[in-house]
C-alpha cells in the first residue's frame, strides 16, 4: 500500500537550470498538478526518444522533484506517495544535471549544460510513523540523516494539523473543474 511523506525545503542549483532542463525535470515529475489540457499526465512520449532512452534506467516509482520557474532550485512537487525521493534525486543529478551526467553530449540534449552544483536540504516527515529525516546535498554529494525515529503505533493516530490541511488542499485541487487555458497565459513549466 505504501505511505505518504511530506517534505519542506529546497536544493539550490548553480548555475540555474535553463528552460529545456526545467521543462524536462518538471515533465517527468509525478506531481499532483497535472496538465489537464492534454492527456492529464506529464509524461514522456515517443516524440522524445532521447529522454525515453535515459529514463529506462530510472528508479522505481516516479520523481517528485520539481524545478522552480527560475531554475534556481529543486523542491518537493507536492505529489502523492513521494517514497523514492533520494533515488530519484541521484538519478536526476547523474543523468541530467551534474558534470559527467549521462545526457552530456548526447543527441537530443544539446541544450543541457550538465554543469550544475546542488546544495541544500529537504526534510521529510513520514505519515505512517512520523519519522523525520533530512536529504542534504553538499556540492553534489547527497546524504540522508535520521532526525527523529518513527513510532510504528502512531500509524493508527489521526493526522496532525498540518497533514489534515495538506490533504484538504489536495482534495480541493482534485475537485477543481477542468478549464481551458488561453494560449497567451504564462506557462511555468
Amino acid at each position: 500500500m505504501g505511505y505518504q511523506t511530506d517534505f519542506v525545503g529546497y536544493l539550490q542549483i548553480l548555475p540555474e537550470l535553463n528552460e529545456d532542463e526545467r521543462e524536462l525535470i518538471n515533465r517527468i515529475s509525478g506531481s499532483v498538478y497535472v496538465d489537464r489540457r492534454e492527456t492529464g499526465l506529464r509524461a514522456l512520449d515517443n516524440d522524445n526518444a532521447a529522454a525515453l532512452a535515459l529514463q529506462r534506467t530510472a528508479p522505481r516509482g516516479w520523481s517528485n522533484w520539481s524545478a522552480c520557474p527560475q531554475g534556481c532550485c529543486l523542491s518537493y512537487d507536492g505529489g502523492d506517495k513521494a517514497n523514492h525521493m533520494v533515488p530519484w534525486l541521484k538519478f536526476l543529478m547523474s543523468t541530467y544535471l551534474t558534470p559527467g551526467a549521462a545526457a552530456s553530449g548526447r543527441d537530443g540534449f544539446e541544450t543541457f549544460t550538465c554543469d550544475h552544483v546542488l546544495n541544500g536540504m529537504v526534510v521529510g516527515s513520514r505519515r505512517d510513523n512520523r519519522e523525520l529525516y533530512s536529504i542534504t546535498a553538499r556540492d553534489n554529494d547527497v546524504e540522508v540523516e535520521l532526525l527523529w525515529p518513527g513510532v510504528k503505533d502512531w500509524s493508527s493516530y489521526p493526522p496532525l494539523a498540518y497533514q489534515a490541511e495538506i490533504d484538504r488542499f489536495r482534495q480541493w485541487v482534485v475537485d477543481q473543474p477542468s478549464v481551458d487555458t488561453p494560449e497567451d497565459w504564462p506557462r511555468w513549466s
Side-chain angles (χ1 to χ4, degrees):
M1 176 166 182
Y3 55 88
Q4 176 67 34
T5 305
D6 300 308
F7 293 91
V8 64
Y10 64 92
L11 305 177
Q12 181 184 31
I13 303 172
L14 292 174
E16 295 177 357
L17 300 175
N18 65 40
E19 182 178 347
D20 291 337
E21 293 165 331
R22 287 190 315 268
E23 192 272 322
L24 181 65
I25 297 298
N26 290 341
R27 192 168 187 201
I28 61 177
S29 170
S31 176
V32 297
Y33 305 104
V34 294
D35 184 352
R36 296 171 188 235
R37 291 172 297 166
E38 295 174 17
T39 64
L41 299 173
R42 289 187 197 166
L44 297 173
D45 53 31
N46 290 331
D47 292 339
N48 199 337
L52 277 174
L54 290 177
Q55 285 299 114
R56 293 190 204 333
T57 62
R60 63 183 272 216
W62 52 83
S63 171
N64 284 105
W65 291 100
S66 181
C68 73
Q70 295 80 16
C72 63
C73 65
L74 287 180
S75 64
Y76 171 49
D77 70 1
D80 196 27
K81 301 288 189 245
N83 303 334
H84 305 286
M85 294 286 280
V86 174
W88 269 98
L89 175 61
K90 290 180 178 182
F91 172 78
L92 293 173
M93 291 171 67
S94 67
T95 306
Y96 303 111
L97 302 177
T98 59
S104 182
R106 288 182 69 134
D107 289 342
F109 294 97
E110 292 82 7
T111 60
F112 280 58
T113 60
C114 301
D115 66 347
H116 304 288
V117 178
L118 282 76
N119 286 291
M121 179 184 288
V122 174
V123 175
S125 174
R126 284 181 52 162
R127 294 252 185 133
D128 62 334
N129 63 13
R130 300 188 180 158
E131 174 184 279
L132 292 173
Y133 63 95
S134 65
I135 302 169
T136 304
R138 288 185 183 93
D139 295 327
N140 294 339
D141 287 328
V142 177
E143 298 174 2
V144 178
E145 180 182 358
L146 178 66
L147 301 174
W148 196 258
V151 177
K152 186 178 179 181
D153 293 340
W154 288 353
S155 63
S156 62
Y157 286 17
L160 297 170
Y162 83 88
Q163 295 168 335
E165 190 60 28
I166 288 171
D167 293 342
R168 193 162 50 118
F169 178 73
R170 280 194 179 118
Q171 189 58 50
W172 177 84
V173 169
V174 169
D175 292 343
Q176 294 308 297
S178 179
V179 295
D180 292 327
T181 307
E183 287 298 317
D184 60 347
W185 188 261
R187 293 198 52 163
W188 283 31
S189 60

